[in-house]
Each structure stands twice: as C-alpha cells, then as structure tokens.
Amino acid sequence: MSIPRSTVGIDAGATLCKVVHQEKTLWTRSYSSKEIERVSEEVARVGARRIAVTGGGAHRFADEIDGVPVRRVPEFEAWGRGAPILASKEGVKLPPGYLLVSLGTGTSVLGVDGAGVRRVGGTALGGGTLLGLGWLLLRVDSFEKLAELAAEGDRRPVDLLVGDIYPHGGIPLPLELTASNFAKLESTCPADLASAIVGLIGENVALICAALARESGAELVLYCGSTLSHNPALQQVLAAVTRMSGRDARFLPDGAYCGAVGAAALAEG
Ligand SMILES: Nc1ncnc2c1ncn2[C@@H]1O[C@H](COP(=O)(O)OP(=O)(O)OP(=O)(O)O)[C@@H](O)[C@H]1O
Ligand SMILES: [Mg+2]
C-alpha cells in the first residue's frame, strides 16, 4: 500500500501543516500553520496532478493551486486511511480493530474497524498544552527543546507518588504510580519540570485512551501526531500507562503524517 506518485496530501492542523508526496520514498515536511501561502508555493513546485487537503485549516487553501483543483477530505476518514499505509511501510501489523490517536494540538481518539472510522472520544490535553505549560513554567518556546529537556529530566521529585503517601505499602497500587501531578515539587529544575509536564499529559491521555479501548473492545492503541515526533519521553509514558492498563501501545516513525497520507490516498477514490 502506498500513495499515488502524482498526488500531494496536506493535513492543515491548528499548529502544523503536514505535507506528503510519494517520490522514490515518501517525502514529508511540516510547516507552521501560519505559513499556508508558503505551503501553496512549495506544492505548486512539485507539479502534482492531484492535491488533497484535510484538517481544521483545509478551508484556508485556495480552490486550486497552480491550476490543480484542491480536494478537501474529512479529517477522521483521512486519518483512518493513512494509518494502515504508514503501518505497512514500517512492517507493523494492525489488528482488524484498534484505536487511532491523533495527539495533535488537542487529542482525538478514533475507533477504526471493518465498518470504518469514528471519533470515540478525546481530550483537550495535547501538544498545545505541552507548548503552553512549557512556556509558562520554563519560558521555553521550542518544542524540540522541551522534548529534549523532558528526556533528560526525572519527574519523580516533582510529582507526588503513591509511595510518598504509603511509604510502607499497604495499598493495592504500585508505589511508583503518580498520586498527584506537580504536588511534591522537591525539584523545580527545568528538565524535571519538562518531564513532569510530559508526564501530566501522557498519563492522562493514556488513561483516557485505555478506558476508551476497554469500552470499544480494542486491544491496541496506535498513537500518532506531531507531539510524538522526536519525543521519547512522551512515548515512554504513553506506552507504560497504556500497557499497565492492559492494552498494547504502538507508535509509527511517520505518525505525524497519518492525515496527510490518508488525504492523498482518499483523493484517488
Ligand atoms: N516544529 C514544531 N513546532 C511546533 N510544535 C511542534 C513542532 N514539532 C512538534 N510539535 C508538537 O506537535 C503539536 C502539533 O501536533 P500536530 O501537528 O499533530 O497537530 P495539529 O494537526 O496542528 O493540531 P490539531 O490536530 O489539534 O488541529 C504541537 O502542539 C507541538 O506540541
Ligand atoms: Mg491534526
């Protein structure tokens, strides 16, 4: 499964505009969603025969770029179509039914099965929360820097753990479990705070996803979206909490581009 060579797929989100097209390999690039004009100029240079756009910012594109009509496709359908294409590229086998999570500026949880794709839930905790709290608490406005700090940090001296309340056990909970995010504050060093911000978002997104997975009978949660790009700390929290909740968690290296790849694939049909 791949996308047609002559098609450009665009996923214009609240923060980032993701663009893909198939050359010898899959070409991928993210722009700020404030740069729609620049995206249009670069897309014109590709010389595509079809252009498909999805996401909340799809309406901001002109109806045609360089004489090629711009087709708008629904976001959740695009995501549902793109995930299996990217998974097969990585040799990841997906079960017939699974949850697909768009960890974007906010978070949408999609149920994918033989019948199609539907939104089963979501949360306003997402990558936008990471950027917002990162700026407020650390005055860091770079996503890459926040992800790097979080990977170096340790959130255990920031968060109150079950073991801080029950040092000798006596409660049927793992002592390493977070009892209250940001409630200890024994450390306020930037790396530890960045790790705690990622922990707050990751734990709660994973708890919501695991509950939705139980409700819909899905064994696997596939986490995608740009918030996971080069963000091993977030992947680690999501994987640990999802697995602790009895569900499997997977990630895709190009998972940020699910919507863009799916838009391109949908433009064919
Ligand atoms: N270069 C970057 N600049 C800004 N944010 C980035 C960057 N790389 C990764 N991110 C993270 O990715 C998040 C955006 O993810 P994504 O592109 O999946 O969302 P979106 O599609 O723009 O938003 P939504 O789907 O909610 O409309 C940001 O909030 C931020 O945490
Ligand atoms: Mg998005």
Side-chain angles (χ1 to χ4, degrees):
M1 255 193 297
S2 68
I3 60 172
R5 276 183 181 248
S6 46
T7 308
V8 168
I10 304 171
D11 178 3
T15 307
L16 297 176
C17 184
K18 284 75 62 183
V19 183
V20 301
H21 66 95
Q22 187 74 41
E23 294 179 341
K24 273 205 187 87
T25 56
L26 184 70
W27 183 93
T28 59
R29 180 134 181 220
S30 281
Y31 304 80
S32 162
S33 288
K34 294 178 189 141
E35 299 181 294
I36 295 291
E37 272 184 23
R38 189 171 147 220
V39 175
S40 300
E41 280 164 24
E42 299 215 359
V43 166
R45 251 178 257 142
V46 170
R49 276 196 281 130
R50 281 179 219 82
I51 300 168
V53 55
T54 192
H59 65 278
R60 294 172 55 212
F61 283 86
D63 290 338
E64 55 175 57
I65 295 176
D66 205 30
V68 180
V70 172
R71 179 162 166 198
R72 282 168 245 279
V73 299
E75 180 169 354
F76 300 149
E77 268 177 53
W79 270 72
R81 184 73 175 261
I85 295 176
L86 287 173
S88 82
K89 179 164 115 44
E90 297 301 327
V92 172
K93 202 166 157 18
L94 295 174
Y98 59 96
L99 291 193
L100 172 60
V101 180
S102 165
L103 233 164
T105 310
T107 301
S108 276
V109 185
L110 312 176
V112 184
D113 59 23
V117 190
R118 67 195 194 292
R119 190 178 187 279
V120 295
T123 167
L125 287 170
T129 318
L130 172 57
L131 292 179
L133 292 179
W135 173 249
L136 269 181
L137 296 180
L138 305 170
R139 285 292 181 259
V140 171
D141 64 0
S142 143
F143 170 81
E144 286 76 14
K145 182 70 191 163
L146 285 170
E148 193 185 302
L149 281 170
E152 288 163 7
D154 180 356
R155 62 197 174 98
R156 287 172 300 182
V158 180
D159 295 336
L160 190 71
L161 307 180
V162 169
D164 295 321
I165 308 174
Y166 284 91
H168 307 297
I171 187 167
L173 285 173
L175 300 187
E176 282 292 295
L177 199 70
T178 313
S180 183
N181 299 95
F182 284 90
K184 191 154 68 192
L185 293 181
E186 272 174 9
S187 166
T188 54
C189 90
D192 293 348
L193 289 178
S195 166
I197 297 169
V198 163
L200 168 75
I201 297 163
E203 282 179 350
N204 288 287
V205 166
L207 287 171
I208 290 167
C209 291
L212 290 167
R214 268 196 298 280
E215 200 179 275
S216 55
E219 294 296 330
L220 173 74
V221 184
L222 182 64
Y223 290 102
C224 295
S226 313
T227 313
L228 292 161
S229 305
H230 307 289
N231 193 349
L234 181 57
Q235 296 200 10
Q236 191 265 322
V237 176
L238 291 167
V241 176
T242 309
R243 287 171 190 153
M244 188 188 75
S245 309
R247 293 295 184 270
D248 195 13
R250 295 297 299 254
F251 307 91
L252 296 172
D254 281 333
Y257 295 93
C258 271
V261 165
L266 282 175
E268 280 299 275

